[in-house]
Amino acid sequence: LRSYSPGRARRTNASRRAFLVARFGDIYAQERLEAETLLRKYISDMEMVQRIIYAAAVESFHAAKMAYRQFKIHVRETLSIGHSGPESLEDKVLDFIVQHEDLYGVQSSVNEVIRSMNINPKISLPPEIDFIVISTLIRELCRVAFSMQTLVPPLDISVGIDGELFSENKYHRGVESDFTAALVAYHVWPALMENDVVIVKGRAVTKR
């Protein structure tokens, strides 16, 4: 019997995880700020700008996770036809996805995010622009969210609710916050989670 050895995806898991956590931070520092600058040209209300960007992050992770599940099902069906050990089918599927992430149709996810944002009652845009103006942010978030699903365990974001109790473990307070307030008025950026444990804090604004 040939001894079992984990696939390449599992062997590179730690390095890929470190890269993706860093990339999530880079998106916050770069693409998020660029999106904020773009939106501020059309929207004077900073709260609305930040709500739009937060919604983009939440919807991007949702769309990318859905796309990953569909992609994985397709890959598993294809590889199961000729599969024989010693590597498990799940490891073989994961290896294939990691090596062929360029096959992810990210534009479909971007379109799905924009559709979802268009029907979100908490956000709105002036009639002269469309959420496509922040498509660079959405695309990068979808890409990193898709890649995070290939990790063992996968990474995800925590989706906050307006009015929730502010958690020091999960969020930094936004500069617009009332620092004595206990409740979150709105969210600026989601926390990054691994098995329900916060590994990168998000940002939220507290107000009375």
Side-chain angles (χ1 to χ4, degrees), residues 51-92:
R51 281 184 179 274
I52 288 169
I53 290 171
Y54 182 76
V58 170
E59 294 296 345
S60 294
F61 266 78
H62 178 70
K65 286 190 294 181
M66 291 287 289
Y68 179 81
R69 281 196 285 271
Q70 292 164 2
F71 189 65
K72 188 176 182 181
I73 288 167
H74 177 67
V75 171
R76 187 188 291 116
E77 287 174 350
T78 304
L79 294 183
S80 65
I81 296 166
H83 174 69
S84 60
E87 188 181 29
S88 73
L89 178 60
E90 282 306 301
D91 275 358
K92 204 169 179 181

Side-chain angles (χ1 to χ4, degrees), residues 7-200:
R8 183 175 181 276
R10 289 182 185 273
R11 292 198 306 272
T12 61
N13 195 73
S15 59
R16 290 186 298 110
R17 179 187 182 279
F19 170 79
L20 290 168
V21 171
R23 181 71 190 113
F24 185 74
D26 290 343
I27 291 172
Y28 174 79
Q30 186 174 334
E31 282 88 351
R32 180 191 67 89
L33 283 180
E34 289 168 359
E36 194 176 279
T37 301
L38 276 169
L39 290 170
R40 289 285 282 169
K41 292 177 182 177
Y42 306 97
I43 304 169
S44 58
D45 181 6
M46 189 60 176
E47 177 180 332
M48 180 56 70
V49 168
Q50 292 182 329
R51 281 184 179 274
I52 288 169
I53 290 171
Y54 182 76
V58 170
E59 294 296 345
S60 294
F61 266 78
H62 178 70
K65 286 190 294 181
M66 291 287 289
Y68 179 81
R69 281 196 285 271
Q70 292 164 2
F71 189 65
K72 188 176 182 181
I73 288 167
H74 177 67
V75 171
R76 187 188 291 116
E77 287 174 350
T78 304
L79 294 183
S80 65
I81 296 166
H83 174 69
S84 60
E87 188 181 29
S88 73
L89 178 60
E90 282 306 301
D91 275 358
K92 204 169 179 181
V93 168
L94 196 56
D95 282 355
F96 182 92
I97 296 172
V98 168
Q99 290 168 25
H100 298 89
E101 283 189 54
D102 55 318
L103 296 177
Y104 165 42
V106 67
Q107 188 57 46
S108 294
S109 292
V110 173
N111 296 342
E112 184 58 39
V113 171
I114 291 171
R115 274 196 295 272
S116 297
M117 292 176 71
N118 278 326
I119 58 171
N120 185 330
K122 289 185 179 178
I123 56 175
S124 60
L125 284 175
E128 67 269 21
I129 62 162
D130 185 87
F131 288 118
I132 201 165
V133 297
I134 59 167
S135 59
T136 298
L137 171 68
I138 295 168
R139 183 173 291 104
E140 292 309 306
L141 281 165
C142 286
R143 281 189 177 133
V144 80
F146 185 91
S147 295
M148 283 177 173
Q149 305 317 299
T150 69
L151 298 173
V152 184
L155 300 183
D156 200 358
I157 56 169
S158 171
V159 179
I161 303 165
D162 289 356
E164 69 178 318
L165 193 65
F166 178 79
S167 167
E168 294 280 359
N169 294 325
K170 193 179 284 187
Y171 302 114
H172 297 290
R173 286 185 202 259
V175 292
E176 304 87 351
S177 293
D178 175 345
F179 280 69
T180 63
L183 301 180
V184 173
Y186 63 92
H187 299 79
V188 177
W189 195 249
L192 190 63
M193 315 284 287
E194 183 179 67
N195 283 341
D196 296 324
V197 175
V198 177
I199 57 171
V200 178

